[in-house]
Amino acid sequence: MNPVRIGICGLGTVGSGTVNILSRNKALIDARAGCNISIVQIGARRDNPNCDTSKYNVTRDVFDVANNPDVDVLVEVMGGTTVAKDLILKAIENGKHIITANKALIAHHGNEIFAAAKAKGVTVAFEAAVAGGIPIIKAIREGLAANKIEWLAGIINGTGNFILTEMRDKGRSFADVLAEAQALGYAEADPTFDVEGIDAAHKLVILASLAFGIPLEFNKVFTEGITKIAAEDVTYAEELGYRIKNLGIARRTDKGIELRVHPTLIPEKRLIANVDGVMNAVLVKGDAVGATLYYGAGAGAEPTGSSIVGDIVDVARTLTASPEHRVPYLGFGADFVSAQPILPIEDVETANYLRMSAQDKPGVLSKIATILSDSGISIEAMIQKEAKDGESTVPLILLTNQVQDKKLAAAIRSIEALDSITGSVQRIRVEALK
């Protein structure tokens, strides 16, 4: 096979990790690809002391890489959705294959990028865009190709998982752990994408498209963050036999596809409930294989670089194949990718955890039970704590059966309107993941 010439755009954490892996494991990588893989140009605004680029052609203009006729495969690891999009479309126009770790770009503009790539007969690979070093895209697209995927659920943001783990293990507050996550570099100065579920939603929409053969529709993902989770919620969940994880969930139902990211109580005996710290995991249920779990580092220089290099090897292996014989971008032939109804969150049915502050007097629980019963909601479990000295309210924690979201929302409004209830009701959805 002819040599495969790589151009890398971006030399941050992932870019430097990719360069280091390609350099350190070159003989092994070439042997697996069946050809010589070499970096011929790097586009980066500045050098990175974590990797040696002295032997490479480095340019400060990334479009030099997209226009370089000696580059066969452009690796985009810059991030962002503006310059990166223009860069990738220019590289595709020039007939280059694309590898990217950019989940936001794929989630928002993947349909356009894939269409442009198909027209030019080039490959777009994006394993590193979801769950860092875990080869979850390959697993769904190829390893589980025999299966009708029923649902998937993933811990796909390490920052949020670190925060919830620390809150559980050490009884700390959300704000306290977030400050530590920022100090450790797990969270950005503006942590919105991580703690409000946006980063996980980018990844979920990609996984859902691979699982169900639907277009990328980021604007239809329901997203709820973890900022309202209190230390007592984590404690009460443990008492009930659950752990709180921030999950991305995609499920096929008779009424349509569920796409949602939110804090979730899951039984503590589930393997995914025991994925802690900054680690990621994705649980996939196929009709033939059953439930399969994929676990590993969801970020970092070399874990994510591992996925980038894996894509480079895959692209190198298929360069001699005609485009129609390559694995489709989303695992389905373009003619088989079709829109399906996406359920609004109001129509989704889940069990629920409710926590409220109630007056410590007779009849309160009866009124709450009546409101829930009138809404067709049954109570599966309950914790009622004693009032602390000098306080007139007690925490009341309920687990409900499965109920349509809008019915529960209406019941919560009625409960909050009771004179005996102080403040708002905390609600967290519950998933059995069976």
Side-chain angles (χ1 to χ4, degrees), residues 291-329:
T292 56
L293 181 68
Y294 307 85
Y295 165 88
E302 296 217 347
T304 310
S306 170
S307 288
I308 291 283
V309 176
D311 275 345
I312 291 173
V313 171
D314 273 355
V315 170
R317 288 168 173 166
T318 62
L319 285 182
T320 57
S322 59
E324 61 269 20
H325 293 144
R326 297 172 186 155
V327 178
Y329 310 126

Side-chain angles (χ1 to χ4, degrees), residues 139-340:
I140 295 174
R141 188 175 57 195
E142 300 168 46
L144 299 178
N147 288 259
K148 180 178 181 179
I149 303 300
E150 298 176 3
W151 55 262
L152 61 85
I155 298 170
I156 44 181
N157 180 270
T159 302
N161 199 43
F162 171 80
I163 291 171
L164 291 173
T165 300
E166 287 290 302
M167 291 176 70
R168 185 194 74 224
D169 288 351
K170 300 176 182 177
R172 300 168 64 188
S173 70
F174 170 84
D176 180 36
V177 183
L178 174 59
E180 181 183 354
Q182 290 172 315
L184 292 171
Y186 296 153
E188 302 290 339
D190 179 358
T192 302
F193 268 45
D194 291 323
V195 300
E196 296 295 352
I198 299 169
D199 175 76
H202 286 145
K203 299 167 185 174
L204 180 69
V205 75
I206 296 171
L207 293 177
S209 294
L210 291 158
F212 306 130
I214 58 177
L216 296 150
E217 297 181 287
F218 175 77
N219 62 328
K220 294 185 178 179
V221 182
F222 170 77
T223 305
E224 179 182 302
I226 62 172
T227 56
K228 295 180 181 178
I229 301 297
E232 55 261 43
D233 293 318
V234 177
T235 300
Y236 295 143
E238 292 270 311
E239 288 188 37
L240 290 163
Y242 291 83
R243 290 184 174 175
I244 300 176
K245 294 293 182 182
N246 197 39
L247 293 186
I249 298 170
R251 178 178 279 113
R252 188 197 304 269
T253 75
D254 293 338
K255 298 177 182 178
I257 304 293
E258 298 176 8
L259 295 176
R260 46 194 173 97
V261 174
H262 51 71
T264 312
L265 267 71
I266 53 180
E268 62 183 1
K269 62 184 178 182
R270 299 280 181 265
L271 285 175
I272 196 170
N274 295 281
V275 173
D276 292 335
V278 295
M279 303 303 281
N280 280 198
V282 181
L283 184 60
V284 184
K285 176 73 176 294
D287 68 330
V289 74
T292 56
L293 181 68
Y294 307 85
Y295 165 88
E302 296 217 347
T304 310
S306 170
S307 288
I308 291 283
V309 176
D311 275 345
I312 291 173
V313 171
D314 273 355
V315 170
R317 288 168 173 166
T318 62
L319 285 182
T320 57
S322 59
E324 61 269 20
H325 293 144
R326 297 172 186 155
V327 178
Y329 310 126
L330 292 173
F332 293 81
D335 295 340
F336 296 93
V337 175
S338 60
Q340 298 179 42

